[in-house]
Amino acid sequence: MTRGKQKIEAQRKNAEKNQKAKGSQLEARAVGLKVVCPICKVQLANHNQLVDHYSSKHPKEKPPSNSE
C-alpha cells in the first residue's frame, strides 16, 4: 500500500510541475515589439515586418529607412 501512495503523490507532483503557467503574455509580447508604424501606430517586431506592412497597408507611402 505504501507504493500506491507514493505513486499517487508522484503523479500529483508531476501534474503540478507540468501545469502551464496561467496569466497574460502581454508583457512578453510588448518586449518583442520594437518597431512602430508612424502612420497607424501598429507595433511590429523588426524593420522587415515594417516594410511588409507598408507594402500591404500603405502601398502609396514609402517605408522609413532602417534607423536601428
Side-chain angles (χ1 to χ4, degrees), residues 5-64:
K5 183 179 179 184
Q6 289 173 342
K7 181 180 176 184
I8 293 171
E9 288 178 1
Q11 287 175 344
R12 181 184 52 80
K13 186 177 178 182
N14 284 335
E16 289 174 0
K17 186 174 82 171
N18 294 334
Q19 196 174 36
K20 291 185 179 180
K22 293 183 181 179
S24 177
Q25 294 182 348
L26 291 176
E27 295 85 19
R29 183 176 179 265
V31 170
L33 301 177
K34 299 185 185 324
V35 179
V36 178
C37 174
I39 296 174
C40 62
K41 308 298 184 205
V42 170
Q43 296 178 342
L44 303 162
N46 55 34
H47 184 72
N48 291 338
Q49 285 186 348
L50 181 64
V51 172
D52 292 341
H53 169 77
Y54 261 80
S55 65
S56 65
K57 301 296 181 182
H58 314 295
K60 295 179 181 178
E61 301 292 329
K62 183 179 177 190

